């Protein structure tokens, strides 16, 4: 399986996928930490995370795959939602909680 196929399989195989630096318990950058907090506050539990610092091939190829240059990258139902700023905007508007509730059991 190529790295692009693996990325697609992760996105297809999970309702919510967050490609981030670090882990939810130990985020390795402020943007990843804020995104995880927004997801938590929106009621997201049990979503898939991938630590791009431990997956150099994903880190190198995901920006080309998604046409989004930075991390973190949040996907919901196979669709790129965006990075930290967009996730925070969605959270502040209440939209993130609605999106999460539709796809995850809290």
């Amino acid at each position: 399986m190529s790295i692009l196929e693996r990325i697609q399989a992760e996105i297809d195989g999970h309702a919510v996928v967050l490609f981030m630096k670090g882990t939810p318990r130990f985020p390795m950058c402020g943007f990843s930490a804020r995104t995880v907090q927004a997801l938590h506050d929106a009621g997201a539990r049990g979503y898939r995370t991938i630590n791009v610092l431990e997956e150099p091939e994903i880190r190198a190829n995901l920006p080309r795959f998604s046409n989004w240059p930075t991390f973190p990258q949040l996907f919901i139902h196979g669709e790129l939602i965006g990075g930290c700023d967009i996730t925070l905007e969605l959270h502040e508007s209440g939209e993130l909680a609605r999106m999460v509730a539709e796809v995850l059991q809290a």
Side-chain angles (χ1 to χ4, degrees):
M1 177 181 298
S2 76
I3 191 63
L4 297 179
E5 291 171 331
R6 182 165 169 238
I7 290 168
Q8 188 67 58
E10 290 287 356
I11 293 167
D12 291 345
H14 302 89
V16 177
V17 182
L18 178 63
F19 294 89
M20 63 179 289
K21 293 180 179 177
T23 65
R25 284 189 99 169
F26 300 105
M28 300 300 288
C29 80
F31 297 114
S32 290
R34 288 191 292 279
T35 302
V36 166
Q37 188 62 52
L39 283 166
H40 184 270
D41 292 348
R45 305 290 184 275
Y47 58 92
R48 175 80 164 132
T49 61
I50 296 168
N51 180 355
V52 298
L53 297 177
E54 292 182 351
E55 299 275 358
E57 285 189 33
I58 290 177
R59 184 178 185 185
N61 287 282
L62 184 62
R64 180 171 54 115
F65 174 89
S66 64
N67 201 27
W68 192 268
T70 60
F71 295 97
Q73 292 187 24
L74 176 63
F75 289 79
I76 298 180
H77 259 306
E79 179 183 343
L80 174 66
I81 301 304
C84 179
D85 290 345
I86 292 171
T87 302
L88 292 176
E89 288 174 16
L90 290 170
H91 174 56
E92 289 170 8
S93 73
E95 186 69 10
L96 185 61
R98 185 195 63 75
M99 294 167 79
V100 165
E102 286 181 2
V103 298
L104 290 180
Q105 304 223 353

